[in-house]
Amino acid sequence: GENVEQHPSTLSVQEGDSAVIKCTYSDSASNYFPWYKQELGKGPQLIIDIRSNVGEKKDQRIAVTLNKTAKHFSLHITETQPEDSAVYFCAASGPGGSYIPTFGRGTSLIVHP
Amino acid sequence: DAGITQSPRYKITETGRQVTLMCHQTWSHSYMFWYRQDLGHGLRLIYYSAAADITDKGEVPDGYVVSRSKTENFPLTLESATRSQTSVYFCASSDLSGGSEQFFGPGTRLTVL
């Protein structure tokens, strides 16, 4: 089955800096890669996703890049703000797993004012 | 109200007791999921359901039972609770057609004494 590794487990940055979270996956057939943000006491919420026919996708301060050859994808947050502090999860899914997502273990992002 | 809801939000029970966590969604999504979230483990899939009366095991199904008699409801039962089942439980729903967003509920914090 699919295996997703996520790094780092904790990331501490100063307000205004950029943050990058990286994930690798094992199943070359995976073709959908969402990123979820989980604020304290809440359920995860989708912030951006990318499909395998696209190399990069941006939404304001957030971007995701995908390297299919290397089987890794990354979340980039620019000009971080304190409200970006949360746990971020990557996931991968595809026909090999009947599109049931496999999640990474999460990254706790702390943005210091 | 539209969305996905879980009840109760908090539950304290004793070892050996039966506990049922409820999940209800209003979108008529075909897929529903149960995850547990523990520190250091991220989101681990317990069970999922592709449609009414169709359920399947996830990564950590032991000690749990699910049913899905109606599309909108997906209850999770701990038949004889153990301390190791102390966790935060999240329900999610999705269309999952070709890979798509999962919508998560607010979670249930369960403590087994």
Side-chain angles (χ1 to χ4, degrees), chain A residues 19-60:
Chain A
V20 181
I21 303 170
K22 300 180 179 181
C23 289
T24 60
Y25 61 99
S26 61
D27 187 351
S28 57
S30 288
N31 56 13
Y32 178 65
F33 307 93
W35 285 90
Y36 292 85
K37 177 183 181 181
Q38 185 181 26
E39 297 178 344
L40 196 62
K42 297 184 178 181
Q45 187 171 9
L46 182 78
I47 54 171
I48 195 167
D49 56 12
I50 191 168
R51 299 189 185 274
S52 59
N53 59 347
V54 175
E56 183 176 7
K57 184 176 180 180
K58 289 182 179 179
D59 184 2
Q60 299 182 345

Side-chain angles (χ1 to χ4, degrees), chain B residues 55-101:
Chain B
T55 62
D56 211 343
K57 295 178 180 179
E59 180 186 357
V60 288
D62 293 345
Y64 303 95
V65 174
V66 294
S67 62
R68 194 158 176 216
S69 58
K70 294 183 177 181
T71 300
E72 61 267 30
N73 297 324
F74 191 37
L76 175 74
T77 298
L78 289 67
E79 292 192 306
S80 179
T82 65
R83 290 194 182 90
S84 65
Q85 292 177 310
T86 292
S87 187
V88 181
Y89 292 85
F90 288 99
C91 177
S93 71
S94 175
D95 275 335
L96 258 201
S97 53
S100 59
E101 177 179 2

Side-chain angles (χ1 to χ4, degrees), chain B residues 19-88:
Chain B
V19 177
T20 296
L21 309 184
M22 304 301 294
C23 179
H24 175 79
Q25 53 108 354
T26 60
W27 294 298
S28 299
H29 285 159
S30 55
Y31 279 82
M32 295 188 74
F33 308 82
W34 274 107
Y35 293 91
R36 61 177 290 173
Q37 184 173 28
D38 306 288
L39 197 62
H41 291 279
L43 294 164
R44 291 187 290 177
L45 182 63
I46 304 170
Y47 269 97
Y48 68 96
S49 168
D53 297 322
I54 300 175
T55 62
D56 211 343
K57 295 178 180 179
E59 180 186 357
V60 288
D62 293 345
Y64 303 95
V65 174
V66 294
S67 62
R68 194 158 176 216
S69 58
K70 294 183 177 181
T71 300
E72 61 267 30
N73 297 324
F74 191 37
L76 175 74
T77 298
L78 289 67
E79 292 192 306
S80 179
T82 65
R83 290 194 182 90
S84 65
Q85 292 177 310
T86 292
S87 187
V88 181

Side-chain angles (χ1 to χ4, degrees), chain A residues 62-112:
Chain A
I62 294 173
V64 57
T65 59
L66 172 64
N67 183 327
K68 288 189 294 183
T69 303
K71 289 188 284 188
H72 69 70
F73 56 111
S74 300
L75 177 71
H76 304 255
I77 306 174
T78 59
E79 300 173 17
T80 54
Q81 300 167 5
E83 51 264 40
D84 293 329
S85 296
V87 177
Y88 292 81
F89 291 97
C90 64
S93 67
S98 301
Y99 287 102
I100 305 300
T102 299
F103 283 85
R105 291 196 173 188
T107 296
S108 177
L109 173 65
I110 303 166
V111 180
H112 299 281

